[in-house]
Amino acid sequence: MKIPLAIASTVLLGGVLTACGGSDGGSGGSGGSGSDYCKDIKAAAATFGSLDSGDTASVGDAFTTFHKLADEAPGDVKAEWKTLDGAIKTVEDGLADAGIKIEDFDKLASGQLPDGVDQAKLAGLVTTFQKLSSAEFEKASKAIETHAKSVCKVDLNSATG
């Protein structure tokens, strides 16, 4: 596998998490804009936005935040969050299986292959990352984004969240 492909995958992941930050919409419990879910989405918007700027150091935090939001998603976007969270979990598992740690992203971005990385499995991550651009993933992302904007009053596509 070529290192630029690994870099592209990392950039794609950042873009997807930002989109999913945009896909974080919804509200916890009753669905009101004052819920913990809505507060957490607003706070998460900055984390996901930093990924869009190429800040790979926050990928681990973004994964954790993503899983938390999926866990606390209200019923009207729970299925969509399950779709997104499942895809992100698949990516995390694929990275771990290839021997890539979050802290390795900067090395990959600079063209260095970290020690212990299984190059064949790294190459296989392309298929894993493609799941993040599937029609099902996109549909779920848009539904969550719309819900975030209408219920939580959070525009996850804006720089300010």
Side-chain angles (χ1 to χ4, degrees), residues 70-82:
D71 287 343
E72 64 186 26
D76 46 351
V77 288
K78 193 72 166 173
E80 289 82 358
W81 266 108
K82 185 176 180 181

Side-chain angles (χ1 to χ4, degrees), residues 77-96:
V77 288
K78 193 72 166 173
E80 289 82 358
W81 266 108
K82 185 176 180 181
T83 296
L84 298 183
D85 197 43
I88 294 297
K89 178 71 172 128
T90 300
V91 167
E92 284 180 296
D93 292 346
L95 290 168

Side-chain angles (χ1 to χ4, degrees), residues 126-144:
V126 173
T127 302
T128 301
F129 278 96
Q130 288 173 343
K131 292 179 182 180
L132 300 180
S133 60
S134 72
E136 179 184 21
F137 190 90
E138 286 294 318
K139 182 179 176 184
S141 294
K142 288 185 187 308
I144 294 170

Side-chain angles (χ1 to χ4, degrees), residues 2-13:
K2 297 179 180 178
I3 294 300
L5 185 53
I7 295 168
S9 295
T10 301
V11 170
L12 172 63
L13 177 62

Side-chain angles (χ1 to χ4, degrees), residues 3 5 13 16 19 29-30 39 41 44 48 60 65 86 93 100 110-112 115 130 145 161:
I3 294 300
L5 185 53
L13 177 62
V16 167
S30 65
K39 290 175 188 173
I41 280 193
F48 295 133
T65 300
D93 292 346
I100 298 174
S110 66
Q112 300 173 17
D115 293 334
Q130 288 173 343
E145 180 180 331

Side-chain angles (χ1 to χ4, degrees), residues 27-85:
S27 63
S30 65
S33 62
S35 71
D36 287 343
Y37 176 76
C38 285
K39 290 175 188 173
D40 289 344
I41 280 193
K42 186 170 186 171
T47 300
F48 295 133
S50 69
L51 290 173
D52 194 38
S53 69
D55 179 11
T56 59
S58 60
V59 172
D61 290 340
F63 283 155
T64 300
T65 300
F66 203 87
H67 296 313
K68 178 182 179 184
L69 289 168
D71 287 343
E72 64 186 26
D76 46 351
V77 288
K78 193 72 166 173
E80 289 82 358
W81 266 108
K82 185 176 180 181
T83 296
L84 298 183
D85 197 43

